[in-house]
Amino acid sequence: MEIRKAVRKDVPLIMAFIRGIAEYEKMGADVHATEEMLAEWLFDKGIAETVFAVEDGKEVGFALYFHNFSTFVGKGGLYLEDLFVLPEHRGKGYGKALFLHLVDTARKRNCGRMEWVCLNWNQPSIDFYRSMGAIPLDEWTTFRLVL
């Protein structure tokens, strides 16, 4: 298994993984992204990055992430937006490999922390993140303003 960084020609594949995670999260109708938008924001503006878990030449999982900043820590952080492994490839260590790759990336970039959100009903993911040493921040509420 290898982890490889996405390139512009991967935009349709990134879109397919986004649709996959949206379907898994029962949020398919909420996907408004287009391939054109992804190309602009990921590759023209460089606002986020994507990596794939690859086995036998096939992408079986992906992670999309970007940097944020903590005023308290005084450093940038790595924010994991999406981590998704195709259903038929789960339980084989691909999610863990992607997650650890991002931890390593955050450390190499001298980030102060790594953060993400997880749906409250997604117990398999909650269990996975806890097994990786993550702690839930139950005292925080996520807010969203749609523009």
Side-chain angles (χ1 to χ4, degrees), residues 20 24 27 32 34 36 43 64 72 88 133 144-145:
Y24 174 76
M27 299 175 74
H32 302 290
T34 65
E36 294 77 18
F43 298 102
L64 191 144
F72 287 14
E88 63 271 23
R144 175 176 295 151
L145 179 64

Side-chain angles (χ1 to χ4, degrees), residues 77-127:
L78 192 141
Y79 188 87
L80 171 60
E81 178 67 20
D82 288 325
L83 177 79
F84 182 71
V85 175
L86 296 172
E88 63 271 23
H89 296 283
R90 292 187 186 144
K92 300 176 184 175
Y94 301 121
K96 183 176 183 178
L98 285 164
F99 187 84
L100 291 175
H101 176 81
L102 296 186
V103 170
D104 187 54
T105 298
R107 286 184 175 139
K108 286 178 178 172
R109 295 179 183 181
N110 196 29
C111 293
R113 60 186 176 200
M114 187 169 133
E115 295 179 316
W116 59 94
V117 297
C118 182
L119 290 166
N120 291 334
W121 60 259
N122 191 348
Q123 197 61 48
S125 292
I126 291 168
D127 294 343

Side-chain angles (χ1 to χ4, degrees), residues 26-39:
K26 301 170 183 70
M27 299 175 74
D30 294 330
V31 176
H32 302 290
T34 65
E35 290 181 14
E36 294 77 18
M37 293 164 79
L38 292 177

